Amino acid sequence: MQDRQDKFPTSAGVLLGLGLGAFFDGIVFHQLLQWHHMLSGWYPLNSIDNIRLNTTWDGIFHSAAYVLVLAGLYLLWQQAHRSELRWSRWHCLGTILIGWGIFNVLEGVVDHQILGLHQVNETVPDGQRIFWDIGFLLWGAAMIVMGAAMVRAGAREGVHAPGNLQAR
């Protein structure tokens, strides 16, 4: 049985995926497409004060994404200093997809449905918004399933590389 310490750090990949998913959401949906902002379901963008409030909370959201990515990089760095680290591209990408998918599912259920902070696409008529929300949840679920399959493929790779990050 393989020693627990030489496995690829799953938690690092999941944290990276959570952070990258949050960055994608904030950059693409909030900034580039401007479909919604963090609190636009509660405070519509119909006044300067609401725009300022939403922009501030978008920044807080991005700060949380940054912390998640830093935490994932820290865990990966810590594990990489061990004598043997199982470097598997499939496991790494799979855990990132799992984290991103978890982000989408949590964001979709908690922020979109339970709290009503915003919906995925607030630029479409009200009756069509639920379809964008369902698509977002299905996208997240698909990433979790694909990520889990990639992690299983990575477990079969059997490739070991030295855990030291210094050039050889």
Side-chain angles (χ1 to χ4, degrees), residues 37-56:
H37 292 276
M38 198 60 215
L39 302 178
S40 56
W42 291 358
Y43 300 96
L45 305 177
N46 56 9
S47 72
I48 296 296
D49 287 338
N50 284 0
I51 291 170
R52 284 187 181 132
L53 178 66
N54 273 284
T55 302
T56 298

Side-chain angles (χ1 to χ4, degrees), residues 15-144:
L15 284 171
L16 287 169
L18 285 166
L20 292 173
F23 272 133
F24 181 90
D25 182 271
I27 293 167
V28 174
F29 296 142
H30 296 207
Q31 295 173 335
L32 295 175
L33 297 174
Q34 298 181 20
W35 284 359
H36 67 261
H37 292 276
M38 198 60 215
L39 302 178
S40 56
W42 291 358
Y43 300 96
L45 305 177
N46 56 9
S47 72
I48 296 296
D49 287 338
N50 284 0
I51 291 170
R52 284 187 181 132
L53 178 66
N54 273 284
T55 302
T56 298
W57 278 96
D58 285 348
I60 291 168
F61 175 73
H62 276 112
S63 297
Y66 192 75
V67 168
L68 289 168
V69 169
L70 287 178
L73 289 172
Y74 175 78
L75 289 176
L76 184 59
W77 182 263
Q78 289 299 310
Q79 186 74 15
H81 286 289
R82 308 219 184 217
S83 61
E84 287 286 325
L85 174 63
R86 183 178 175 143
W87 286 103
S88 163
R89 67 180 173 270
W90 294 112
H91 196 135
C92 178
L93 293 174
T95 56
I96 289 172
L97 273 180
I98 289 169
W100 191 327
I102 290 169
F103 168 81
N104 276 22
V105 170
L106 287 176
E107 157 91 328
V109 171
V110 176
D111 289 352
H112 302 169
Q113 302 307 312
I114 295 173
L115 298 177
L117 293 178
H118 56 262
Q119 290 185 282
V120 173
N121 189 347
E122 294 177 348
T123 66
V124 297
D126 287 345
Q128 295 177 10
R129 293 179 182 182
I130 189 66
F131 299 113
W132 288 91
D133 290 349
I134 291 169
F136 189 79
L137 290 169
L138 291 174
W139 178 27
M143 284 193 286
I144 293 169

